[in-house]
Amino acid sequence: MATTASRPERAYHQDYICRIRYENNLPPPPGAPKLLDIPSDGLDYYASPGFASRLHRSQPINIEADAELGMPIDLVGMPGVFDGDESSIQAPLIPPPVHPRDKNLLRPLSELGKPKYQGGGISFLRRTEYISSDTARARSEAAPKNTPKSPGPKLRKPVDTSKDDPVNVLRAVVKGFDIAHPNDAYTGPDTKDNVKGLEPTPAETDAWNNPKHPLKSNLRPVDFYPILPDLDAVTDTGNYMVAKFTANPTQTVDKRDPRLDVGMLRPMELDEETIAEYNAKAAAHATDPAHNPHPGGPPFNYHFFLPTDEATASNLKRKLDVDHPDRDDPELYTAESKDGRGVFRLEQQRMYETGRATVIDADHAYKEVGFALHDPELETNTGDPAITTNGHSLQRSHQAAYYYPILQKVQLKPHRSKNLAQLGMVSRMDNEEDDKKIDALEVIVDDPNDAEKAKRNEHRAVLLGEEDEVQAENPDP
């Protein structure tokens, strides 16, 4: 008979897990909850105006204040204040640089508070991984036998310095014109007058034929306007000036006054003192431009004139429109001069002075320009095209975006010498400006004379690249 002792005993490995929970139940409160009415008479006492008044009377002010309470209002020591020059009590046009210690005080609200850290850049924040013998064996079997060597440091690509060559820059510019006008592309050898452009890539040609918005791919262009100079609008100086009023120049507040479209600014002559001061500032800027700002344009004073009514402004607009069929009608004039000729009467509104002026450098004449979109299909044109001396038509017969170079920007503010003169706070020279005041202008619209046409033709020739021909026709004496 076999016994159990003869059988081999098998050992079983078993982990014993014992969960122990402790409970700490608090007994209910002995009494029912209730709200106590605590008197708050002291708060009303301290918040009453009487308490603050008594505290003010009982505590003397320990401040040694002068007669002006620390804010001097004596303007005697301010240079030029009584002459109408308020530059000494105003902030400078160009603010001084901020001290490095004060930069922290000028930080925006978004940068204040505790810094926000991104968890992705922290090396010790990793997901928990459980490692066993089976996992380690599987990783060792999956790893390749021959581990490739890590690549060395990437070498920086050499910079092609030939791209900065002036000839290559010119070829890149010519390539843009060749893409726009492939039939006119020059394909011959390079000469003094013609340079062959770079070969355009298919991507560049497709981008020109199928333009897309850089951010919104679903948008498509509606129309195309080539950028051209407006040869009809060339002035005697060849550029324009932008004038901005600091306040509304008219009494109309509910709508835009149409008379402003034909308003006129008449500059006054500068006196010798103002010219000397301006020349001194210009010389200081030329000597040390870092510490002396550019004075801008000459500080002219202007008389501002407007038509008497909206009907006069409308007729003056039609008279100035070279394409209007009735521009030569003498009935457009709304007033009559002493000699019986028809005129437009513009009355003076007030005098303005230059608040801030910015002059564009002549080397960057086209840094700022104004644009006007012209579509001949939306306008009727009945006049014959004007022809220049060089045979170029000046009629706007093409759809284009015409640009107008801006050489100067002026900020106009109301002139205060008249008010200060009544108080006896300006010099006699400023008080004499009332004697030179012009009450009204009588305007006659006429074609330019020969001298004005010659000046405009010179500026047109520069835009057309024919200045050498004009100089040959009009040599200097």
Side-chain angles (χ1 to χ4, degrees):
M1 182 176 179
T3 61
T4 57
S6 60
R7 296 180 181 179
E9 294 183 359
R10 299 177 60 184
Y12 295 94
H13 179 75
Q14 183 178 3
D15 294 334
Y16 175 73
I17 299 176
C18 179
R19 297 182 179 179
I20 302 175
R21 296 181 180 179
Y22 296 92
E23 295 183 0
N24 188 12
N25 296 329
L26 298 176
K34 62 179 179 179
L35 299 177
L36 300 178
D37 186 9
I38 300 176
S40 59
D41 299 337
L43 182 61
D44 297 337
Y45 170 75
Y46 291 111
S48 62
F51 176 79
S53 300
R54 287 190 296 270
L55 182 64
H56 171 69
R57 290 192 299 267
S58 61
Q59 299 293 334
I61 300 177
N62 188 14
I63 298 177
E64 295 181 1
D66 53 4
E68 297 172 348
L69 297 180
M71 299 178 62
I73 57 176
D74 188 5
L75 302 180
V76 176
M78 303 296 177
V81 171
F82 300 109
D83 295 336
D85 184 10
E86 299 181 354
S87 59
S88 59
I89 60 175
Q90 293 181 352
L93 298 179
I94 300 178
V98 182
H99 194 275
R101 296 180 180 178
D102 297 336
K103 289 185 177 180
N104 293 331
L105 301 177
L106 301 178
R107 290 186 301 171
L109 297 178
S110 59
E111 297 183 4
L112 300 179
K114 296 182 179 179
K116 298 180 179 179
Y117 298 99
Q118 300 292 338
I122 302 176
S123 59
F124 59 85
L125 292 181
R126 298 181 58 188
R127 187 182 59 177
T128 305
E129 296 182 0
Y130 298 94
I131 301 176
S132 61
S133 58
D134 297 338
T135 305
R137 188 182 303 107
R139 289 185 177 181
S140 60
E141 293 177 356
K145 300 300 181 180
N146 298 327
T147 305
K149 297 181 180 180
S150 60
K154 295 183 179 180
L155 299 178
R156 185 177 182 181
K157 294 183 179 180
V159 180
D160 189 3
T161 57
S162 62
K163 292 182 179 180
D164 298 334
D165 185 72
V167 177
N168 286 337
V169 174
L170 180 59
R171 294 182 188 276
V173 174
V174 174
K175 180 181 67 172
F177 290 94
D178 294 343
I179 294 175
H181 304 281
N183 296 331
D184 299 336
Y186 179 75
T187 58
D190 295 342
T191 61
K192 181 180 179 181
D193 300 328
N194 296 320
V195 176
K196 183 180 179 181
L198 298 177
E199 189 68 23
T201 61
E204 294 173 343
T205 305
D206 182 70
W208 172 262
N209 296 329
N210 303 303
K212 296 181 180 180
H213 195 277
L215 301 179
K216 301 178 181 180
S217 59
N218 58 334
L219 298 181
R220 294 293 182 269
V222 178
D223 209 340
F224 299 90
Y225 289 82
I227 300 177
L228 299 175
D230 192 352
L231 301 180
D232 287 347
V234 175
T235 61
D236 298 346
T237 59
N239 48 66
Y240 289 82
M241 181 181 71
V242 176
K244 181 180 180 181
F245 296 94
T246 57
N248 187 5
T250 63
Q251 300 297 330
T252 305
V253 295
D254 55 343
K255 63 177 182 179
R256 186 181 185 276
D257 195 338
R259 299 180 300 166
L260 294 175
D261 296 336
V262 290
M264 294 188 181
L265 289 170
R266 186 178 184 274
M268 299 178 59
E269 295 183 1
L270 297 176
D271 51 36
E272 297 180 358
E273 182 180 356
T274 304
I275 295 176
E277 183 181 357
Y278 175 78
N279 293 335
K281 292 181 179 179
H285 172 73
T287 305
D288 188 5
H291 297 84
N292 299 300
H294 194 281
F300 285 103
N301 293 335
Y302 299 89
H303 289 289
F304 183 55
F305 299 88
L306 285 179
T308 55
D309 50 21
E310 295 185 6
T312 303
S314 178
N315 290 357
L316 183 54
K317 289 181 183 179
R318 286 187 287 177
K319 192 69 175 178
L320 295 174
D321 188 2
V322 295
D323 297 333
H324 200 279
D326 299 333
R327 67 179 300 266
D328 296 330
D329 188 2
E331 299 296 332
L332 292 177
Y333 290 107
T334 57
E336 186 176 349
S337 62
K338 294 181 180 180
D339 54 0
R341 294 189 302 172
V343 294
F344 294 105
R345 183 178 177 83
L346 279 69
E347 297 182 352
Q348 187 198 31
Q349 303 300 311
R350 68 176 305 165
M351 186 186 301
Y352 287 89
E353 61 183 10
T354 302
R356 183 179 303 176
T358 304
V359 179
I360 307 300
D361 190 4
D363 298 335
H364 305 84
Y366 298 97
K367 181 180 179 180
E368 295 189 14
V369 296
F371 282 95
L373 301 181
H374 174 71
D375 193 346
E377 297 181 357
L378 303 179
E379 300 181 7
T380 57
N381 188 0
T382 58
D384 296 331
I387 306 297
T388 63
T389 56
N390 298 327
H392 296 283
S393 174
L394 299 182
Q395 192 65 41
R396 300 184 186 91
S397 58
H398 300 285
Q399 175 179 339
Y402 294 98
Y403 66 86
Y404 308 89
I406 298 173
L407 185 64
Q408 185 178 3
K409 295 189 298 182
V410 179
Q411 186 183 42
L412 302 179
K413 60 181 181 180
H415 193 53
R416 298 184 58 191
S417 294
K418 180 178 180 180
N419 298 331
L420 296 177
Q422 296 175 355
L423 301 176
M425 300 172 61
V426 296
S427 61
R428 184 177 61 182
M429 183 179 299
D430 294 334
N431 198 12
E432 291 176 353
E433 293 180 354
D434 291 342
D435 299 336
K436 302 178 181 179
K437 179 181 178 182
I438 301 176
D439 296 330
L441 291 179
E442 294 181 350
V443 180
I444 299 176
V445 180
D446 199 358
D447 295 331
N449 53 29
D450 295 339
E452 294 172 346
K453 290 181 180 179
K455 292 182 180 179
R456 298 179 185 184
N457 288 336
E458 292 179 1
H459 295 297
R460 292 191 186 104
V462 173
L463 294 174
L464 296 173
E466 301 174 353
E467 59 270 17
D468 297 335
E469 299 180 7
V470 175
Q471 294 177 1
E473 295 177 1
N474 303 320
D476 295 337

